[in-house]
Amino acid sequence: MSDIALTPSAGVTPIPLGEVLPWAIFGGLIMLLAIYFIGAEEGAMSLFSGMYVHEFVHDGRHLLGFPCH
Amino acid sequence: MTRDLLIRGMIVGVIAGLLAFGFARVFGEPQVDHAIAFEEKMSQAAGAAAEPELVARATQAGIGLFTGIVVYSAALGGLFSLVFAFVHGRVSSLSPRSTAALLALAGFVAIVLVPCIKYPMNPPAVGSPDTIGARTELFFVMLVVSLGALAAAVGLAKRLYAQHGAWNATLMAGAAYVVFIALVQYSLPAINEVPEQFSPTVLWNFRVASLGIHVIVWTTLGLLFGALAERVLAGQRPRYRLHAAR
Ligand SMILES: [Zn+2]
Protein backbone atom coordinates (compact mmCIF):
# COMPACT_ATOMS: atom_id res chain seq x y z
CA MET A 1 0.00 0.00 0.00
CA SER A 2 2.65 2.47 0.99
CA ASP A 3 4.65 1.53 -2.09
CA ILE A 4 1.66 2.18 -4.30
CA ALA A 5 1.06 5.53 -2.67
CA LEU A 6 4.71 6.49 -3.11
CA THR A 7 4.92 5.95 -6.86
CA PRO A 8 5.30 9.32 -8.53
CA SER A 9 2.93 8.32 -11.31
CA ALA A 10 0.07 8.24 -8.81
CA GLY A 11 -1.44 11.33 -10.36
CA VAL A 12 -0.92 13.91 -7.64
CA THR A 13 -0.33 17.08 -9.64
CA PRO A 14 1.68 19.72 -7.80
CA ILE A 15 0.41 23.28 -7.49
CA PRO A 16 2.27 25.27 -10.21
CA LEU A 17 5.34 27.06 -8.88
CA GLY A 18 4.20 30.34 -10.36
CA GLU A 19 1.13 30.12 -8.18
CA VAL A 20 2.95 29.13 -4.98
CA LEU A 21 5.88 31.54 -5.22
CA PRO A 22 4.19 34.95 -4.78
CA TRP A 23 2.33 33.68 -1.73
CA ALA A 24 5.45 32.01 -0.39
CA ILE A 25 7.52 35.20 -0.66
CA PHE A 26 4.86 37.59 0.61
CA GLY A 27 3.41 35.28 3.25
CA GLY A 28 6.77 33.88 4.24
CA LEU A 29 8.17 37.34 5.00
CA ILE A 30 5.21 38.34 7.13
CA MET A 31 5.24 35.05 9.07
CA LEU A 32 8.98 35.30 9.71
CA LEU A 33 8.58 38.88 10.87
CA ALA A 34 5.85 37.79 13.31
CA ILE A 35 8.07 35.03 14.66
CA TYR A 36 10.93 37.49 14.98
CA PHE A 37 8.81 39.80 17.14
CA ILE A 38 7.77 36.95 19.42
CA GLY A 39 11.19 35.35 19.54
CA ALA A 40 13.96 37.89 19.30
CA GLU A 41 12.88 41.59 19.24
CA GLU A 42 14.47 43.62 22.02
CA GLY A 43 16.65 40.67 22.89
CA ALA A 44 19.72 40.21 20.73
CA MET A 45 18.58 43.04 18.45
CA SER A 46 15.92 45.74 18.44
CA LEU A 47 13.75 47.42 15.84
CA PHE A 48 12.02 49.44 18.55
CA SER A 49 13.73 51.01 21.52
CA GLY A 50 12.75 50.02 25.02
CA MET A 51 11.85 46.64 26.43
CA TYR A 52 8.08 46.59 26.18
CA VAL A 53 7.72 43.97 23.43
CA HIS A 54 10.31 41.78 25.13
CA GLU A 55 8.62 42.02 28.51
CA PHE A 56 5.13 41.56 27.10
CA VAL A 57 5.84 38.28 25.27
CA HIS A 58 8.47 37.27 27.81
CA ASP A 59 6.83 34.09 29.17
CA GLY A 60 5.98 32.89 25.70
CA ARG A 61 9.52 33.54 24.56
CA HIS A 62 10.96 31.39 27.34
CA LEU A 63 8.37 28.63 27.00
CA LEU A 64 8.79 28.49 23.23
CA GLY A 65 12.51 27.95 23.74
CA PHE A 66 13.94 31.18 22.34
CA PRO A 67 17.11 32.45 24.01
CA CYS A 68 16.22 35.19 26.48
CA HIS A 69 17.51 37.08 29.52
CA MET B 1 -5.17 27.28 -4.26
CA THR B 2 -2.10 28.43 -2.32
CA ARG B 3 -4.18 31.22 -0.84
CA ASP B 4 -6.79 28.72 0.39
CA LEU B 5 -4.07 26.58 1.93
CA LEU B 6 -2.37 29.58 3.53
CA ILE B 7 -5.59 30.78 5.15
CA ARG B 8 -6.28 27.30 6.50
CA GLY B 9 -2.72 26.99 7.72
CA MET B 10 -3.05 30.17 9.73
CA ILE B 11 -6.45 29.19 11.12
CA VAL B 12 -5.11 25.80 12.17
CA GLY B 13 -2.12 27.63 13.66
CA VAL B 14 -4.44 29.78 15.77
CA ILE B 15 -6.32 26.70 16.98
CA ALA B 16 -3.02 24.98 17.77
CA GLY B 17 -1.95 28.12 19.61
CA LEU B 18 -5.11 28.17 21.71
CA LEU B 19 -4.59 24.56 22.75
CA ALA B 20 -0.90 25.19 23.44
CA PHE B 21 -1.74 28.30 25.47
CA GLY B 22 -4.08 26.27 27.69
CA PHE B 23 -1.34 23.74 28.25
CA ALA B 24 1.31 26.42 28.83
CA ARG B 25 -0.90 28.20 31.31
CA VAL B 26 -1.38 25.06 33.42
CA PHE B 27 1.99 23.35 33.09
CA GLY B 28 4.42 26.06 32.01
CA GLU B 29 3.51 29.09 34.11
CA PRO B 30 4.14 27.47 37.53
CA GLN B 31 7.70 26.71 36.42
CA VAL B 32 8.19 30.27 35.17
CA ASP B 33 6.95 31.52 38.55
CA HIS B 34 9.37 29.26 40.42
CA ALA B 35 12.21 30.50 38.22
CA ILE B 36 11.30 34.16 38.77
CA ALA B 37 11.07 33.60 42.52
CA PHE B 38 14.57 32.11 42.41
CA GLU B 39 15.79 35.04 40.33
CA GLU B 40 14.44 37.54 42.85
CA LYS B 41 15.90 35.65 45.78
CA MET B 42 19.31 35.69 44.11
CA SER B 43 19.26 39.37 43.26
CA GLN B 44 18.10 40.22 46.81
CA ALA B 45 20.92 38.14 48.23
CA ALA B 46 23.30 40.06 45.99
CA GLY B 47 21.93 43.27 47.48
CA ALA B 48 20.45 44.57 44.24
CA ALA B 49 17.33 46.71 44.35
CA ALA B 50 14.16 45.03 42.99
CA GLU B 51 13.78 45.66 39.25
CA PRO B 52 10.80 47.83 38.35
CA GLU B 53 8.12 45.86 36.54
CA LEU B 54 7.58 47.19 33.03
CA VAL B 55 4.81 44.69 32.42
CA ALA B 56 2.90 43.20 35.37
CA ARG B 57 3.45 39.48 36.01
CA ALA B 58 -0.26 38.81 35.57
CA THR B 59 -0.13 40.43 32.12
CA GLN B 60 2.95 38.45 31.15
CA ALA B 61 1.37 35.19 32.24
CA GLY B 62 -2.01 36.05 30.72
CA ILE B 63 -2.47 38.12 27.59
CA GLY B 64 1.28 38.30 27.00
CA LEU B 65 1.70 34.53 26.98
CA PHE B 66 -1.47 34.22 24.92
CA THR B 67 -0.19 36.67 22.30
CA GLY B 68 3.23 35.07 22.18
CA ILE B 69 2.03 31.52 21.67
CA VAL B 70 -0.93 32.24 19.38
CA VAL B 71 0.96 34.63 17.08
CA TYR B 72 3.94 32.26 16.92
CA SER B 73 1.71 29.33 16.21
CA ALA B 74 -0.39 31.15 13.57
CA ALA B 75 2.78 32.26 11.78
CA LEU B 76 4.16 28.74 11.98
CA GLY B 77 0.89 27.40 10.57
CA GLY B 78 1.15 29.85 7.69
CA LEU B 79 4.73 28.81 6.91
CA PHE B 80 3.73 25.18 7.25
CA SER B 81 0.95 25.58 4.68
CA LEU B 82 3.34 27.31 2.25
CA VAL B 83 5.89 24.53 2.52
CA PHE B 84 3.06 22.05 2.13
CA ALA B 85 1.87 23.81 -1.04
CA PHE B 86 5.36 23.46 -2.49
CA VAL B 87 5.99 19.89 -1.35
CA HIS B 88 2.63 18.37 -2.23
CA GLY B 89 2.88 16.44 -5.49
CA ARG B 90 6.45 17.65 -5.93
CA VAL B 91 8.47 16.06 -3.14
CA SER B 92 5.68 13.88 -1.80
CA SER B 93 3.07 12.09 -3.85
CA LEU B 94 1.27 10.82 -0.78
CA SER B 95 -2.24 11.92 0.09
CA PRO B 96 -2.51 15.46 1.51
CA ARG B 97 -3.21 14.06 4.97
CA SER B 98 -0.14 11.83 4.96
CA THR B 99 2.01 14.58 3.52
CA ALA B 100 0.88 17.03 6.20
CA ALA B 101 1.46 14.49 8.98
CA LEU B 102 4.96 13.64 7.76
CA LEU B 103 5.79 17.29 7.18
CA ALA B 104 4.73 18.10 10.74
CA LEU B 105 6.83 15.27 12.13
CA ALA B 106 9.83 16.43 10.12
CA GLY B 107 9.21 20.04 11.16
CA PHE B 108 9.01 19.11 14.82
CA VAL B 109 12.26 17.16 14.63
CA ALA B 110 14.17 19.79 12.64
CA ILE B 111 12.79 22.95 14.27
CA VAL B 112 12.22 21.86 17.87
CA LEU B 113 13.89 18.59 18.80
CA VAL B 114 17.27 18.89 17.10
CA PRO B 115 18.01 22.51 18.12
CA CYS B 116 16.86 21.91 21.71
CA ILE B 117 19.15 18.91 22.14
CA LYS B 118 22.08 21.30 21.78
CA TYR B 119 20.53 24.50 23.08
CA PRO B 120 17.62 23.54 25.35
CA MET B 121 14.82 25.87 26.39
CA ASN B 122 15.61 27.78 29.57
CA PRO B 123 13.40 29.37 32.20
CA PRO B 124 13.99 32.92 33.47
CA ALA B 125 17.05 33.22 35.76
CA VAL B 126 19.00 30.89 33.48
CA GLY B 127 21.19 32.76 31.05
CA SER B 128 23.25 35.90 31.44
CA PRO B 129 22.06 39.09 29.69
CA ASP B 130 25.64 39.64 28.51
CA THR B 131 25.61 36.55 26.32
CA ILE B 132 22.17 37.01 24.74
CA GLY B 133 23.76 38.02 21.42
CA ALA B 134 25.98 34.95 21.15
CA ARG B 135 23.25 32.62 22.45
CA THR B 136 20.71 33.93 19.94
CA GLU B 137 23.22 33.60 17.11
CA LEU B 138 24.16 30.03 17.99
CA PHE B 139 20.53 29.05 18.42
CA PHE B 140 19.58 30.34 14.98
CA VAL B 141 22.68 28.84 13.37
CA MET B 142 21.66 25.48 14.83
CA LEU B 143 18.10 25.98 13.59
CA VAL B 144 19.11 26.93 10.05
CA VAL B 145 21.65 24.10 9.79
CA SER B 146 19.05 21.65 11.07
CA LEU B 147 16.49 22.79 8.47
CA GLY B 148 19.08 22.72 5.70
CA ALA B 149 20.16 19.22 6.71
CA LEU B 150 16.55 18.07 6.67
CA ALA B 151 16.02 19.44 3.16
CA ALA B 152 19.26 17.78 2.03
CA ALA B 153 18.21 14.48 3.62
CA VAL B 154 14.87 14.57 1.82
CA GLY B 155 16.67 15.28 -1.44
CA LEU B 156 19.03 12.38 -0.76
CA ALA B 157 16.13 10.03 -0.02
CA LYS B 158 14.49 11.03 -3.30
CA ARG B 159 17.67 10.23 -5.19
CA LEU B 160 18.18 6.87 -3.48
CA TYR B 161 14.52 5.98 -3.96
CA ALA B 162 14.75 4.65 -7.50
CA GLN B 163 17.53 2.21 -6.69
CA HIS B 164 16.76 1.20 -3.12
CA GLY B 165 13.03 1.62 -2.67
CA ALA B 166 11.18 3.86 -0.22
CA TRP B 167 12.05 2.05 3.01
CA ASN B 168 15.80 1.70 2.51
CA ALA B 169 16.15 5.12 0.90
CA THR B 170 14.46 6.69 3.95
CA LEU B 171 16.65 4.76 6.37
CA MET B 172 19.84 5.70 4.55
CA ALA B 173 18.95 9.38 4.30
CA GLY B 174 17.82 9.33 7.94
CA ALA B 175 21.13 7.85 9.03
CA ALA B 176 23.03 10.49 7.04
CA TYR B 177 20.94 13.19 8.70
CA VAL B 178 21.61 11.85 12.20
CA VAL B 179 25.37 11.53 11.63
CA PHE B 180 25.58 15.02 10.15
CA ILE B 181 23.61 16.57 13.01
CA ALA B 182 25.74 14.73 15.58
CA LEU B 183 28.91 16.18 14.00
CA VAL B 184 27.46 19.69 13.91
CA GLN B 185 26.33 19.52 17.52
CA TYR B 186 29.66 18.11 18.58
CA SER B 187 31.53 21.00 17.01
CA LEU B 188 29.27 23.89 18.08
CA PRO B 189 30.21 25.46 21.44
CA ALA B 190 28.21 24.41 24.48
CA ILE B 191 26.24 26.92 26.51
CA ASN B 192 25.61 26.21 30.16
CA GLU B 193 24.46 29.14 32.21
CA VAL B 194 22.28 27.32 34.72
CA PRO B 195 23.04 28.80 38.17
CA GLU B 196 24.40 26.16 40.52
CA GLN B 197 21.62 26.52 43.08
CA PHE B 198 18.85 26.40 40.49
CA SER B 199 16.35 23.60 41.16
CA PRO B 200 16.89 20.73 38.70
CA THR B 201 13.26 19.75 39.14
CA VAL B 202 12.06 23.17 38.02
CA LEU B 203 14.45 23.05 35.08
CA TRP B 204 13.25 19.60 34.03
CA ASN B 205 9.57 20.46 34.44
CA PHE B 206 10.05 23.68 32.52
CA ARG B 207 11.67 21.90 29.61
CA VAL B 208 9.07 19.14 29.54
CA ALA B 209 6.31 21.78 29.56
CA SER B 210 8.03 23.61 26.72
CA LEU B 211 8.35 20.42 24.69
CA GLY B 212 4.70 19.69 25.41
CA ILE B 213 3.71 23.06 23.94
CA HIS B 214 5.59 22.28 20.74
CA VAL B 215 4.18 18.75 20.53
CA ILE B 216 0.66 20.17 20.76
CA VAL B 217 1.34 22.80 18.09
CA TRP B 218 2.93 20.40 15.60
CA THR B 219 0.44 17.60 16.18
CA THR B 220 -2.46 19.98 15.56
CA LEU B 221 -0.77 21.40 12.46
CA GLY B 222 -0.06 17.96 11.02
CA LEU B 223 -3.43 16.38 11.65
CA LEU B 224 -5.91 19.24 11.35
CA PHE B 225 -4.24 21.01 8.46
CA GLY B 226 -3.96 17.68 6.63
CA ALA B 227 -7.69 17.10 6.96
CA LEU B 228 -8.50 20.61 5.70
CA ALA B 229 -5.96 20.44 2.87
CA GLU B 230 -7.41 17.14 1.73
CA ARG B 231 -10.75 18.87 1.27
CA VAL B 232 -9.25 21.83 -0.57
CA LEU B 233 -7.31 19.60 -2.93
CA ALA B 234 -10.04 16.99 -3.40
CA GLY B 235 -12.26 19.41 -5.32
CA GLN B 236 -9.39 20.05 -7.68
CA ARG B 237 -8.18 16.51 -8.24
CA PRO B 238 -10.68 13.75 -8.94
CA ARG B 239 -7.86 11.39 -9.91
CA TYR B 240 -6.48 11.46 -6.44
CA ARG B 241 -9.62 9.93 -4.94
CA LEU B 242 -9.40 6.99 -7.34
CA HIS B 243 -5.84 6.44 -6.30
CA ALA B 244 -6.65 6.54 -2.60
CA ALA B 245 -9.40 3.99 -3.02
CA ARG B 246 -7.04 1.40 -4.46
ZN1 LIG C 1 13.72 36.23 29.81
Side-chain angles (χ1 to χ4, degrees):
Chain A
M1 177 64 209
S2 65
D3 267 349
I4 297 169
L6 268 174
T7 41
S9 58
V12 184
T13 12
I15 304 169
L17 262 191
E19 211 245 284
V20 179
L21 222 54
W23 288 106
I25 294 170
F26 173 71
L29 274 178
I30 292 181
M31 308 297 158
L32 287 177
L33 191 69
I35 292 176
Y36 164 80
F37 268 98
I38 302 302
E41 166 70 3
E42 291 162 11
M45 49 195 147
S46 298
L47 295 181
F48 300 143
S49 60
M51 279 307 249
Y52 192 84
V53 175
H54 173 120
E55 286 296 322
F56 183 67
V57 298
H58 179 261
D59 287 19
R61 189 170 288 187
H62 275 280
L63 281 165
L64 288 169
F66 290 103
C68 187
H69 262 55
Chain B
M1 179 71 55
T2 310
R3 182 180 149 273
D4 296 342
L5 290 173
L6 178 57
I7 291 170
R8 279 163 183 76
M10 293 186 68
I11 292 172
V12 171
V14 169
I15 295 170
L18 294 176
L19 295 173
F21 167 73
F23 180 87
R25 192 60 216 200
V26 176
F27 296 101
E29 275 305 329
Q31 313 311 323
V32 175
D33 284 336
H34 289 315
I36 289 176
F38 172 84
E39 197 176 28
E40 275 165 5
K41 205 177 72 189
M42 293 311 281
S43 69
Q44 265 174 12
E51 272 180 54
E53 265 186 0
L54 188 59
V55 177
R57 268 304 294 146
T59 310
Q60 284 184 329
I63 188 76
L65 177 70
F66 181 87
T67 309
I69 292 187
V70 173
V71 170
Y72 171 84
S73 178
L76 198 66
L79 289 175
F80 182 80
S81 70
L82 291 171
V83 175
F84 175 90
F86 174 76
V87 155
H88 170 73
R90 202 165 270 118
V91 180
S92 155
S93 42
L94 299 168
S95 77
R97 271 189 298 186
S98 313
T99 300
L102 281 181
L103 191 61
L105 185 64
F108 174 75
V109 169
I111 296 177
V112 180
L113 208 55
V114 162
C116 93
I117 288 171
K118 182 70 188 180
Y119 301 121
M121 328 50 182
N122 280 322
V126 175
S128 139
D130 309 331
T131 58
I132 180 69
R135 282 186 287 125
T136 305
E137 226 166 81
L138 286 170
F139 179 76
F140 282 101
V141 165
M142 188 64 248
L143 186 63
V144 169
V145 169
S146 170
L147 277 172
L150 174 74
V154 172
L156 181 63
K158 280 258 133 189
R159 260 207 272 159
L160 296 171
Y161 170 75
Q163 207 187 336
H164 301 277
W167 181 261
N168 285 333
T170 308
L171 285 184
M172 288 154 86
Y177 176 77
V178 169
V179 170
F180 177 75
I181 289 296
L183 288 174
V184 169
Q185 298 205 337
Y186 181 74
S187 40
L188 279 174
I191 298 172
N192 180 16
E193 298 181 346
V194 183
E196 221 155 86
Q197 308 90 320
F198 196 87
S199 158
T201 315
V202 172
L203 188 62
W204 169 261
N205 288 344
F206 176 88
R207 286 175 177 170
V208 171
S210 176
L211 261 183
I213 290 169
H214 287 290
V215 168
I216 290 171
V217 169
W218 284 99
T219 307
T220 312
L221 284 185
L223 299 183
L224 191 55
F225 178 80
L228 295 183
E230 186 123 320
R231 280 212 198 153
V232 172
L233 296 162
Q236 178 101 347
R237 275 179 250 295
R239 282 178 68 199
Y240 164 69
R241 290 264 154 227
L242 273 177
H243 166 64
R246 237 191 308 178

